[in-house]
Amino acid sequence: MWRSATVVALHDETATARTLRFEVPDWPGHTAGQRVDVRLTASDGYSAVRSYSIASAPSTNKLVEISVERLPDGEVSPYLAQEIALGDRLELRGPVGGWFVWRPTQTEPVQLIAGGSGIVPLMSMIRSRVSASSAAPFRLLYSVREPRTVFYREELHALSAEQSIELTFAYTRATPRDWPRPPGRIDADLIASTTWPSALRPTCYICGPTSFVENAASLLTASGISPDRVRTERFGPTGDRR
Amino acid sequence: MAITTRGFSGRRRLTDGRLPPGQYVTTDFPVLSAGPTPRVPLDQWELTINEGDEVLRRWDWKSFRDLPAETVTVDLHCVTRWSKLGTVWEGVSLDTLLKDIKTDAEYVLAHSYGGYSTNLPLGDLMNNQAWVAFRFDDDDLAPEHGGPARLLVPHLYLWKSAKWLRGISLLHEDEPGFWEDYGYHNYGDPWREQRYSGDE
């Protein structure tokens, strides 16, 4: 069932990504980590649909937020990340997906690992933790190319400062000045020093490009985390042979 | 009646009827999996077909690879809306694997290393519609794409083509698999756009 949605707020996250807030009068509610299908229809009836992770926390206020990274060759993302304006209407279907989710009834430690725009569904989990006043301990390891590509920067820093989450950034191309770790992808040392030890049996959520998720999931399981504690969501190309 | 979105024109693509509704063509091969990629050493790999407690067939890697294999060219359709056309696989037909098995079962549950599962009608595995594939594009099947061997059922959405295939259970009563339990359609025909439970 497609639901009518109206853009009620938008702002740039980075130079290439934008957050959109939709008002959806008959939105049934969602669980942190779920996705929504977005349908755009041209005046001649042609339509295109893409799936996006929901960024906002579950709530009863009929608002749904997504954050869209503009893909150079995209058909839908350039429109959402650049052209759409306040008051524009489109259609949503969902929420979709019941596996890559966090519920406030979970009390065990949670390890979040984000690569780039893979932060979006994890941000919904963090916001859900806050809005539910959950005491589940959360750690976030957030890998980005460089400081200016961080999504939700101020909100994350504020949540870290008030100790709602333990936050670690990892930079793959360029770091802030005087950053102790040289740029590079996540490795076993970083996993050992910044993520929950396996003895605490954390539930782990990893989201990002395929090669990022493959690497992070392998490091987690090599560190002793049981594979059945690791939930993944991958997007984009394989990054290797295809 | 769909809402028209101001200023959206889209990018039409010629698909000569090969593209099911709501899909777009990718030349990439995206990976979608629910957890870490299992690594299954070939000397520990096996494939079984069972009905209840009875194991009807069992292959180790060598005996599986000794079976006659076929090269097939098929279109793939993922429920997340990408389609990849003209992919080339090498695999053993399910007609070969199921040969001479006598059963009244009408359903199967395919299960995988790593715990994944998916359900299908047994008929959808027969008559040259399904394979256990071990090579893709002239290369051994990479672990992230389901290697050593995966189910390939190209006429259904790709989540039905279980990666890291370990066994096939013949069932008298249908039983939902992993994604079917999490709100995806029980059958998953791309041409009828059966994405989510509740789609007709």
Side-chain angles (χ1 to χ4, degrees):
Chain A
M1 167 184 177
W2 290 99
R3 306 170 196 277
S4 168
T6 305
V7 180
V8 294
L10 43 80
H11 69 267
D12 288 340
E13 283 301 338
T14 69
T16 56
R18 190 153 77 162
T19 290
L20 304 170
R21 178 183 293 166
F22 302 108
E23 187 174 60
V24 192
D26 57 348
W27 184 247
H30 62 273
T31 304
Q34 285 188 297
R35 289 176 292 108
V36 64
D37 285 356
V38 176
R39 179 160 80 179
L40 305 180
T41 303
S43 52
D44 65 351
Y46 172 84
S47 68
V49 179
R50 296 292 185 276
S51 194
Y52 291 97
S53 290
I54 298 170
S56 47
S59 79
T60 54
N61 61 14
K62 309 298 182 192
L63 298 175
V64 177
E65 277 182 28
I66 61 173
S67 300
V68 179
E69 177 89 43
R70 189 178 75 224
L71 304 175
D73 192 33
E75 178 182 23
V76 169
S77 67
Y79 178 82
L80 293 177
Q82 285 176 307
E83 292 178 37
I84 203 168
L86 283 178
D88 283 344
R89 296 168 72 208
L90 45 69
E91 290 168 297
L92 300 183
R93 183 181 181 188
V96 176
W99 166 248
F100 195 80
V101 296
W102 180 82
R103 294 185 170 83
T105 49
Q106 295 176 231
T107 55
E108 76 282 4
V110 169
Q111 180 66 55
L112 308 175
I113 302 183
S117 58
I119 186 65
V120 176
L122 308 185
M123 195 65 198
S124 178
M125 297 178 188
I126 292 169
R127 289 166 167 166
S128 179
R129 178 193 184 278
V130 172
S131 66
S133 302
S134 160
F138 268 46
R139 283 183 175 178
L140 169 63
L141 176 56
Y142 184 7
S143 172
V144 291
R145 290 164 63 95
E146 51 191 324
R148 64 193 173 97
T149 61
V150 172
F151 284 25
Y152 321 120
R153 179 197 323 265
E154 286 170 19
E155 186 177 355
L156 284 172
H157 281 297
L159 290 168
S160 172
E162 69 181 37
Q163 298 180 336
S164 282
I165 55 167
E166 289 180 53
L167 172 63
T168 305
F169 285 106
Y171 301 93
T172 58
R173 295 282 173 82
T175 69
R177 255 191 313 152
D178 302 328
W179 192 257
R181 186 175 180 269
R185 58 185 211 159
I186 289 176
D187 57 19
D189 283 348
L190 195 64
I191 291 288
S193 59
T194 68
T195 67
W196 295 115
S198 56
L200 293 178
R201 294 186 50 77
T203 300
C204 305
Y205 300 87
I206 310 174
C207 186
T210 296
S211 57
F212 175 87
V213 172
E214 289 291 324
N215 179 47
S218 300
L219 290 169
L220 278 186
T221 51
S223 81
I225 304 258
S226 170
D228 62 12
R229 309 298 306 168
V230 181
R231 301 181 184 207
T232 62
E233 189 139 289
R234 300 161 165 88
F235 56 80
T238 57
D240 45 30
R241 53 184 281 271
R242 292 293 309 177
Chain B
M1 181 64 200
I3 291 172
T4 299
T5 303
R6 179 203 61 82
F8 176 73
S9 57
R11 196 188 308 147
R12 329 294 155 112
R13 298 170 205 227
L14 289 176
T15 59
D16 63 11
R18 283 171 74 181
L19 207 55
Q23 297 292 112
Y24 64 90
V25 173
T26 181
T27 53
D28 232 318
F29 195 173
V31 173
L32 293 141
S33 316
T37 296
R39 312 276 160 175
V40 191
L42 292 183
D43 60 0
Q44 290 166 35
W45 183 91
E46 65 169 21
L47 176 65
T48 58
I49 297 175
N50 73 290
E51 184 166 357
D53 292 337
E54 193 184 355
V55 177
L56 303 174
R57 297 286 186 276
R58 184 191 302 272
W59 295 271
D60 61 12
W61 185 253
K62 182 175 183 310
S63 58
F64 169 71
R65 290 289 280 101
D66 283 343
L67 295 168
E70 304 171 4
T71 298
V72 293
T73 302
V74 298
D75 298 343
L76 307 178
H77 309 297
C78 178
V79 70
T80 63
R81 298 181 182 276
W82 58 263
S83 292
K84 187 172 173 62
L85 306 181
T87 62
V88 181
W89 301 79
E90 187 178 348
V92 177
S93 168
L94 262 293
D95 294 317
T96 303
L97 298 172
L98 293 166
K99 191 165 179 261
D100 298 333
I101 291 179
K102 299 278 179 283
T103 180
D104 297 326
E106 293 181 24
Y107 305 96
V108 305
L109 189 68
H111 41 100
S112 302
Y113 292 94
Y116 183 76
S117 61
T118 189
N119 59 318
L120 310 92
L122 177 57
D124 283 74
L125 295 188
M126 296 156 74
N127 300 317
N128 213 31
Q129 294 189 91
W131 297 266
V132 175
F134 52 85
R135 284 176 75 79
F136 169 72
D137 224 7
D138 231 8
D139 223 335
D140 289 341
L141 186 58
E144 64 266 32
H145 290 306
R150 74 179 295 169
L151 195 57
L152 180 65
V153 194
H155 69 285
L156 299 177
Y157 281 127
L158 198 53
W159 90 78
K160 294 288 184 179
S161 295
K163 295 175 184 174
W164 315 299
L165 188 68
R166 173 181 213 161
I168 292 172
S169 299
L170 305 178
L171 303 175
H172 290 258
E173 308 240 336
D174 199 8
E175 182 181 311
F178 181 84
W179 287 121
E180 294 83 5
D181 236 359
Y182 282 111
Y184 285 82
H185 197 273
N186 195 57
Y187 183 63
D189 180 352
W191 295 96
R192 288 188 278 168
E193 233 187 324
Q194 295 172 332
R195 298 178 194 278
Y196 311 124
S197 61
D199 287 341
E200 292 188 359

